[in-house]
């Protein structure tokens, strides 16, 4: 486990420049070249040598400190050459210009060093959060009970923090049960709360016959672990014998894909998120063979480009209604990333499941499973 999460220490030696260092070096060289051209065109007076002091700072915005020092040395040498070419190198202005370039080089190298340390620290924290998140979210599928199921986690851009999106699918004595949720906030605190919710769910989903009891248990777990303003939106789904039961705690409603249509499964009445003592009312649907159900977090609903939101409902059947459930989620991800041009503002969790048909000829009432019978354990 330790080997899986620790970084490998690079061996000393010459390494190729990073893209950032190449960009910084190129921008600095362009500035140096422009100053040289202007100086040569201006004649014998070194009127623009002082502008070379900006080259190390331009490199420091992108490049590592050794590259900044190289740029600074080059700028200093050129400054001395131009100043000596005037024949008045001993003049006060020429001396000040050259000393200014040298001082700027030292300051820029310090700035580059601090920037590199901060970048490394942020990158390491992000990697640790990603490892923690991957440990919390177990792979789904390909089968839960009699349901083909697939899960997918789409990470946002590098500028965004790690999110607290969560999902799980379990084959319990009460049927196939799935949860999807979204923790308020970002970073390691969100991952920690997501792990608490999933840990509680993985226990109580096997013990509670009533989804409403599971909601109460999860609400208490969240309330014990967070502040007054923290919460978790969640939707819990149960499929048993073709009967689908959904309870929703402030979460985006699932989408039911049926015969080319997309049906939004809104709850009978709204309920607050976990942490705010939600009182939920179940929505019950009778599934048909071939039905697919998409559960998602609000990152999907908020994905947009140029102010236009991704048309999830309009494109859901075309993207998700064919192939396997895994193929469907891959198609949705590709279309989504293309829509936002690769710039997502929030992580997205997706779960897609399919009802393949009844497994027995015994009719099942269209009521929640806990109102039918409680299986013996």
């Amino acid at each position: 486990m330790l080997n899986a999460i620790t970084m490998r220490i690079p061996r000393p030696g010459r390494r190729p420049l990073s893209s950032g260092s190449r960009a910084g070096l190129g921008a600095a060289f362009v500035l140096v070249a422009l100053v040289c051209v202007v100086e040569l065109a201006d004649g014998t007076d070194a009127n623009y040598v002082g502008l070379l002091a900006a080259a190390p700072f331009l490199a420091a915005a992108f490049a590592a400190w050794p590259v900044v020092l190289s740029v600074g040395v080059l700028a200093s040498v050129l400054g001395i050459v131009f100043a000596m070419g005037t024949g008045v190198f001993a003049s006060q202005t020429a001396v000040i210009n050259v000393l200014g370039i040298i001082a700027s080089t030292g300051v820029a190298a310090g700035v580059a060093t601090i920037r590199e340390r901060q970048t490394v620290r942020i990158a390491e924290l992000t990697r640790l959060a990603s490892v923690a998140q991957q440990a919390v979210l177990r792979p789904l599928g390909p089968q839960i009970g009699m349901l083909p199921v697939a899960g997918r986690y789409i990470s946002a851009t590098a500028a965004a923090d790690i999110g607290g999106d969560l999902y799980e699918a379990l084959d319990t004595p009460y049927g196939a049960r799935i949860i999807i949720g979204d923790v308020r906030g970002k970073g390691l605190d969100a991952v920690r709360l997501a792990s608490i919710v999933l840990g509680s769910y993985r226990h109580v989903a096997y013990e509670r016959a009533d989804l409403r009891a599971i909601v109460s248990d999860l609400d208490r777990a969240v309330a014990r672990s967070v502040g007054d303003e923290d919460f978790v939106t969640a939707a819990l789904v149960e499929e048993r014998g073709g009967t689908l039961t959904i309870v929703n705690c402030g979460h985006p409603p699932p989408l039911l894909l049926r015969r080319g249509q997309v049906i939004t499964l809104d709850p009978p009445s709204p309920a607050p998120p976990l942490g705010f003592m939600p009182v939920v009312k179940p929505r019950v649907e009778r599934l048909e063979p071939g039905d697919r159900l998409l559960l998602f977090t609000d990152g999907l609903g908020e994905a947009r480009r140029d102010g236009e939101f991704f048309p999830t409902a309009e494109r859901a059947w075309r993207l998700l209604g064919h192939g396997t459930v895994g193929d469907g989620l891959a198609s949705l991800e590709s279309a989504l990333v293309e829509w936002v041009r690769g710039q997502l503002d929030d992580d997205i969790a997706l779960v897609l499941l399919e009802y393949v048909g009844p497994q027995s000829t015994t009719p099942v009432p269209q009521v929640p499973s806990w109102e039918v019978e409680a299986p013996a354990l």
Side-chain angles (χ1 to χ4, degrees):
M1 180 65 180
L2 182 60
N3 292 332
I5 64 175
T6 53
M7 294 171 28
R8 292 184 178 179
I9 301 175
R11 294 181 179 178
R14 297 185 62 183
R15 292 179 294 175
L17 292 178
S18 66
S19 58
S21 293
R22 290 195 298 269
L25 191 61
F29 280 163
V30 169
L31 176 61
V32 170
L34 288 175
V35 172
C36 291
V37 170
V38 172
E39 278 291 354
L40 292 174
D42 190 52
T44 57
D45 294 334
N47 296 319
Y48 303 99
V49 170
L51 294 177
L52 291 173
F57 285 107
L58 188 58
F62 305 97
W65 68 265
V67 176
V68 175
L69 284 180
S70 300
V71 170
V73 169
L74 175 63
S76 300
V77 170
L78 290 173
I80 294 173
V81 170
F82 280 116
M84 293 180 64
T86 65
V88 291
F89 180 70
S91 69
Q92 184 177 6
T93 301
V95 172
I96 290 175
N97 284 338
V98 173
L99 291 178
I101 297 172
I102 297 173
S104 297
T105 299
V107 174
V111 170
T113 300
I114 295 173
R115 179 186 55 77
E116 281 187 286
R117 289 176 179 174
Q118 291 177 337
T119 300
V120 169
R121 182 173 180 272
I122 292 173
E124 185 165 353
L125 288 175
T126 301
R127 281 193 294 269
L128 288 175
S130 298
V131 170
Q133 192 174 52
Q134 293 168 8
V136 169
L137 295 178
R138 302 186 300 199
L140 296 187
Q143 194 95 357
I144 299 297
M146 303 305 299
L147 300 176
V149 62
R152 207 168 188 92
Y153 196 100
I154 306 175
S155 297
T157 58
D161 291 328
I162 298 298
D165 296 20
L166 58 96
Y167 55 74
E168 181 61 287
L170 302 172
D171 185 15
T172 76
Y174 308 98
R177 286 179 164 176
I178 302 98
I179 185 175
I180 190 164
D182 191 0
V183 176
R184 176 186 179 273
K186 303 289 183 181
L188 289 173
D189 287 340
V191 175
R192 179 186 63 83
L193 183 53
S195 70
I196 292 173
V197 173
L198 286 176
S200 299
Y201 176 75
R202 287 164 181 160
H203 173 70
V204 298
Y206 290 96
E207 304 295 331
R208 304 294 191 188
D210 190 329
L211 287 182
R212 292 169 296 187
I214 297 178
V215 168
S216 298
D217 290 336
L218 297 181
D219 177 67
R220 287 192 293 270
V222 171
R224 287 193 299 264
S225 306
V226 299
D228 295 336
E229 297 182 357
D230 295 319
F231 57 84
V232 181
T233 67
L236 284 76
V237 174
E238 176 187 285
E239 186 280 328
R240 186 181 183 197
T243 296
L244 182 72
T245 305
I246 306 170
V247 294
N248 197 314
C249 305
H251 197 77
L255 298 180
L256 177 63
L257 286 67
R258 172 178 292 169
R259 299 194 302 270
Q261 296 182 336
V262 179
I263 305 168
T264 302
L265 300 181
D266 294 307
S269 61
L274 300 173
F276 292 148
M277 296 184 292
V279 178
V280 295
K281 293 184 178 180
R283 172 163 181 164
V284 182
E285 296 285 336
R286 185 65 183 162
L287 294 174
E288 300 178 2
D291 283 354
R292 290 190 173 184
L293 187 71
L294 175 67
L295 298 94
F296 56 93
T297 53
D298 60 4
L300 179 60
E302 295 173 358
R304 58 187 179 272
R305 70 177 182 196
D306 302 329
E308 185 177 359
F309 291 95
F310 180 74
T312 303
E314 291 81 358
R315 301 183 64 180
W317 176 259
R318 187 166 68 251
L319 294 171
L320 300 170
H322 307 282
T324 66
V325 287
D327 294 336
L329 288 187
S331 297
L332 176 59
E333 179 180 2
S334 298
L336 178 65
V337 171
E338 180 182 2
W339 177 271
V340 300
R341 303 187 182 98
Q343 298 295 317
L344 286 169
D345 295 326
D346 194 7
D347 290 1
I348 301 172
L350 303 169
V351 177
L352 183 66
L353 58 91
E354 180 179 4
Y355 177 65
V356 295
Q359 303 302 313
S360 68
T361 57
T362 304
V364 179
Q366 190 173 328
V367 294
S369 66
W370 57 82
E371 296 183 7
V372 179
E373 61 176 342
L377 297 178

